[in-house]
Amino acid sequence: MGVLGLAGLALGQATTNPTAPKADAKAAPWRSMGKSDAAWQRAGWWNDAVFYQIFVRSFKDADPARSPGPLAGDGIGDFRGMIEKLDYLNDGNPETTTDLGVTGLWLMPIHPSPGYHGYEVADFYDVNPQFGSMDDFRAFMKEAHKRGIRVILDLVLNHISYTHPWFQEASKDPKSKYRDWFIWADKVPEWKGPWNQQVWWRQGSALGQTLKPVNPGDTDGPFYYGIFYLSMPDINYRNEQASRAMLDAVRFWLEKENVDGYRLDAIRHLVETGNLQENTPETHAWLQRFHKEYKSARPDAFTIGEVWAPTDQIVPYVGDQLDTCFEFDLSYAMIDAARDGKAERVIAQQKRVLELLPQNQYGRFLSNHDQTRVMTSLKGDPAAMRMAATMLLLGPGVPFIYYGEELGLMGDKPDPNLRTPMQWSGQPGAGFTTGKPWSEPQPGWESQNVEALSRAPRSLLNEYRALIHLRRSSPALSWGGTTLIEANRPEIYAYIRHADPAELPAEGRPAGAAESVLVVMNLGNQPIGEYGLSVGGSPLRGDLRGQELLSGAGAIAPVKAGEKGALDGYRPIPRLEPRTAYVIRLTR
Ligand code: ACG
């Protein structure tokens, strides 16, 4: 589909242009790429992966005793500290079950930045000296890869830090070649940003030279465009030199630093068209070029976009631009289902995702660094949290865990409270640092930490470990196709995952036999005895025996799959305990 074809698609979705017609998400680029459902199911290594999102500043400060150096014990997380904790994440031995077992890391911005969060990048070719040197980063990458852990970086294309030399030059000299790498206006336009925010800033304001308010119609500029803040000027992707410079930086980390891919920050705002500041045709066109560049730099590079919007706005990015995007609506549905003990919402949203997006080509998560932590949304209810984790880790798509989620860390806005230090032990500084932490651990850190929760068999941490290892032991749970099952009880969420390597394209086909797994969750807080699972068609065939893999439930009733794999009132287990999931491998 050409850019013009995308025009109608994208223009219809921009929320700043309410008059535009609603786009037809069915006309999605991925549908015209000639790949079968089976081929999409395992489009790359990421469909075998479980990801873990790390805010480097808060993960682990190097211990002076273990990793001596100028940054050890300074209260700020760093690369050497992360190396100390890689075995917690994945010790590289697939037989071990005491590690978390994650196989992908998303590092939030690691580049030099004047801000604590790093989303104002001051140099795309270096790492934040507070986290270590490029050699420290390389040592980390080597240790991660040694353990079979892939690493993607947070790629902030939309804007840069006002301290970046490009913007400094552009601000100082209107004739500078960098001037047009940014977006300027002599008169402030009438319109605001997508969430009604100020987006035009008077030149000099970021440097503190002027704090005079900016109003539409002002002409005492010049003014520059920054959709997020005065310190984060947007880059002008209509300028070829700017585009080329950013694409060169994208290639650098893939080709020279062995990075495995990117999470693309704020990507729906990349190219503005007048007051259209999201999902524009120019953004999609630029991303089609970006796709060609990163895949040529590294054919198996993985990208996941942050398009914080309803599913239909995500669809036009997937396939020929980005490999995947985060599925925000699914995250809300899983949290609602865990909180309310009702499956309706998560069934409806998972069904919508199965229809609109390519099989398994989306990120599933519970909450990220911008949002109230999931345990806070669930009001600290451990049983509800366990069900949320189960839906996250046993469902289709690429699962992402936000660091500390596995400890049940809580947190709400403002943002720094969502990004407090990881809690490793009951030692001072919660085992995060031997010095004064840049931000305080959460109240209760003395008992809510990796060491303490590792010792508690039924802890959330051990539940995450079991769920991750179960997912990774099962091709069906990792990359299988998904068939939703009807249950005659609102508390039951059930589906079949089915993986058959023979159905995959020959290239990269994994070994192993076909596998079918039935997942049944009683989300409610009452046991359920009377129920039946039904579906008109599924990959199940013939007479099947069941073996339960997660909850330790006893005998599983055998079942005979009907015509086309139909089930009619199947009751695998006589009694579904409250807030409990059952994972049943069905074999002939
Ligand atoms: C990214 C990063 C974030 C970072 C920046 C700037 C961008 O994750 O950490 O902030 O580099 C918008 C952007 C996102 C952006 C957030 C912060 N996140 O689209 O890219 O703002 C609506 C809008 C979204 C909007 C969201 C939150 O549609 O576009 O995100 O609100 O404002 C349903 C609806 C959905 C709606 C949500 C929430 O899902 O479907 O449309 O989203 O409800 O209402 C960095 C720092 C921050 C700092 C900032 C300036 O991390 O701390 O404040 O820079």
Side-chain angles (χ1 to χ4, degrees):
M1 174 188 287
V3 170
L4 275 187
L6 278 171
L9 209 59
L11 275 177
Q13 287 136 35
T15 52
T16 43
N17 181 5
T19 55
K22 196 147 174 53
D24 167 14
K26 282 247 184 289
W30 67 269
R31 293 185 190 281
S32 15
M33 293 174 69
K35 282 173 81 162
S36 67
D37 270 359
W40 279 114
Q41 275 175 222
R42 193 165 179 271
W45 55 266
W46 51 90
N47 286 125
D48 295 329
V50 176
F51 273 86
Y52 190 85
Q53 175 190 355
I54 291 181
F55 185 46
V56 177
R57 180 176 297 276
S58 285
F59 196 63
K60 178 69 176 68
D61 175 18
D63 176 348
R66 278 188 62 181
S67 324
L71 300 176
D74 68 355
I76 294 174
D78 46 47
F79 297 124
R80 293 278 165 196
M82 284 205 294
I83 291 174
E84 292 171 18
K85 292 300 179 185
L86 278 173
D87 285 346
Y88 162 77
L89 294 169
N90 184 333
D91 65 9
N93 173 356
E95 303 309 312
T96 324
T97 55
T98 49
D99 60 354
L100 206 48
V102 297
T103 55
L105 300 180
W106 154 22
L107 301 188
M108 290 166 63
I110 62 169
H111 307 297
S113 173
Y116 85 94
H117 50 64
Y119 283 98
E120 305 174 19
V121 176
D123 181 345
F124 287 98
Y125 286 90
D126 200 351
V127 293
N128 190 327
Q130 293 179 331
F131 299 160
S133 66
M134 281 297 276
D135 285 343
D136 293 328
F137 172 71
R138 288 170 185 139
F140 166 76
M141 288 296 292
K142 184 162 166 281
E143 288 301 319
H145 284 159
K146 214 163 49 177
R147 293 164 174 79
I149 300 172
R150 303 258 195 158
V151 180
I152 69 173
L153 300 184
D154 213 319
L155 179 60
V156 187
L157 291 172
N158 179 70
H159 48 271
I160 65 169
S161 167
Y162 75 101
T163 61
H164 193 292
W166 297 344
F167 188 72
Q168 296 283 316
E169 284 286 305
S171 296
K172 258 186 243 137
D173 170 8
K175 292 194 178 28
S176 152
K177 80 163 204 170
Y178 296 109
R179 187 76 177 188
D180 189 44
W181 290 31
F182 301 94
I183 300 156
W184 301 90
D186 290 328
K187 181 176 177 189
V188 178
E190 296 299 316
W191 45 268
K192 296 271 190 190
W195 39 99
N196 206 26
Q197 81 277 27
Q198 177 179 349
V199 293
W200 291 98
W201 310 94
R202 184 173 283 101
Q203 177 178 292
S205 53
L207 307 172
Q209 291 148 357
T210 160
L211 292 176
K212 195 172 163 230
V214 172
N215 296 300
D218 277 3
T219 51
D220 56 341
F223 303 88
Y224 62 88
Y225 176 80
I227 191 171
F228 288 104
Y229 193 52
L230 58 87
S231 61
M232 305 157 90
D234 275 50
I235 292 174
N236 172 17
Y237 282 93
R238 285 187 165 74
N239 178 292
E240 175 53 28
Q241 286 74 32
S243 284
R244 187 63 259 155
M246 292 307 290
L247 290 168
D248 290 347
V250 166
R251 299 187 74 104
F252 169 75
W253 294 94
L254 298 174
E255 291 175 325
K256 302 283 186 290
E257 299 300 336
N258 221 2
V259 157
D260 299 291
Y262 293 110
R263 174 261 184 186
L264 282 86
D265 181 65
I267 199 60
R268 75 199 198 96
H269 307 293
L270 197 69
V271 188
E272 303 70 30
T273 309
N275 74 337
L276 284 187
Q277 300 162 76
E278 46 199 35
N279 308 333
T280 63
E282 290 81 1
T283 292
H284 290 294
W286 196 89
L287 286 174
Q288 287 175 327
R289 176 182 178 190
F290 166 78
H291 187 259
K292 293 187 180 70
E293 286 269 356
Y294 81 81
K295 290 290 187 188
S296 70
R298 185 162 178 172
D300 73 340
F302 167 60
T303 56
I304 183 157
E306 183 219 16
V307 178
W308 194 346
T311 305
D312 63 314
Q313 292 190 35
I314 286 172
V315 171
Y317 288 89
V318 177
D320 65 342
Q321 298 154 65
L322 304 174
D323 294 301
T324 59
C325 287
F326 285 105
E327 234 304 305
F328 283 86
D329 286 348
L330 186 57
S331 69
Y332 307 136
M334 288 192 280
I335 292 175
D336 286 356
R339 185 186 52 238
D340 306 340
K342 294 274 181 294
E344 185 186 2
R345 195 147 165 226
V346 68
I347 291 172
Q349 182 56 29
Q350 185 63 69
K351 183 168 184 290
R352 182 167 167 69
V353 167
L354 289 169
E355 283 163 358
L356 292 184
L357 287 166
Q359 296 295 307
N360 298 337
Q361 301 315 306
Y362 47 93
R364 60 190 299 126
F365 68 105
L366 294 172
S367 65
N368 66 24
H369 62 292
D370 289 331
Q371 301 171 306
T372 301
R373 276 190 174 267
V374 50
M375 189 56 133
T376 298
S377 299
L378 295 176
K379 301 180 178 38
D381 176 346
M385 184 63 221
R386 257 207 305 283
M387 296 319 290
T390 304
M391 284 183 272
L392 167 69
L393 289 163
L394 300 189
V398 185
F400 280 73
I401 297 161
Y402 181 45
Y403 84 94
E405 172 186 313
E406 75 274 28
L407 306 182
L409 289 195
M410 300 183 82
D412 212 337
K413 294 281 197 182
D415 290 347
N417 294 347
L418 304 172
R419 306 161 187 181
T420 56
M422 183 64 173
Q423 295 167 186
W424 295 104
S425 74
Q427 300 301 313
F432 161 70
T433 178
T434 54
K436 177 166 177 21
W438 77 275
S439 163
E440 286 308 312
Q442 295 186 2
W445 59 267
E446 299 82 351
S447 56
Q448 194 176 19
N449 58 65
V450 170
E451 224 168 68
L453 295 175
S454 294
R455 287 195 299 271
R458 292 281 299 153
S459 69
L460 182 65
L461 172 57
N462 283 322
E463 190 82 15
Y464 265 80
R465 284 170 170 151
L467 287 166
I468 296 167
H469 285 282
L470 173 58
R471 180 190 182 93
R472 286 186 49 215
S473 72
S474 161
L477 291 174
S478 291
W479 56 266
T482 305
T483 305
L484 297 174
I485 304 286
E486 292 117 45
N488 52 2
R489 296 293 299 265
E491 305 90 339
I492 294 177
Y493 179 33
Y495 51 85
I496 291 165
R497 304 290 312 280
H498 176 80
D500 182 357
E503 290 171 1
L504 299 182
E507 191 207 344
R509 177 183 295 165
E515 180 191 39
S516 295
V517 171
L518 169 65
V519 178
V520 187
M521 293 178 214
N522 173 7
L523 296 168
N525 48 25
Q526 297 302 322
I528 296 179
E530 291 309 309
Y531 70 95
L533 305 178
S534 303
V535 66
S538 81
L540 301 178
R541 292 291 178 271
D543 291 306
L544 298 160
R545 286 174 294 108
Q547 179 202 1
E548 209 286 334
L549 307 173
L550 181 67
S551 67
I556 301 293
V559 65
K560 178 178 180 51
E563 188 68 21
K564 295 203 304 292
L567 292 178
D568 181 11
Y570 177 38
R571 185 164 164 265
I573 296 170
R575 174 187 158 99
L576 304 179
E577 296 304 329
R579 299 263 169 103
T580 303
Y582 301 87
V583 179
I584 300 165
R585 182 173 285 133
L586 292 167
T587 49
R588 299 192 72 162

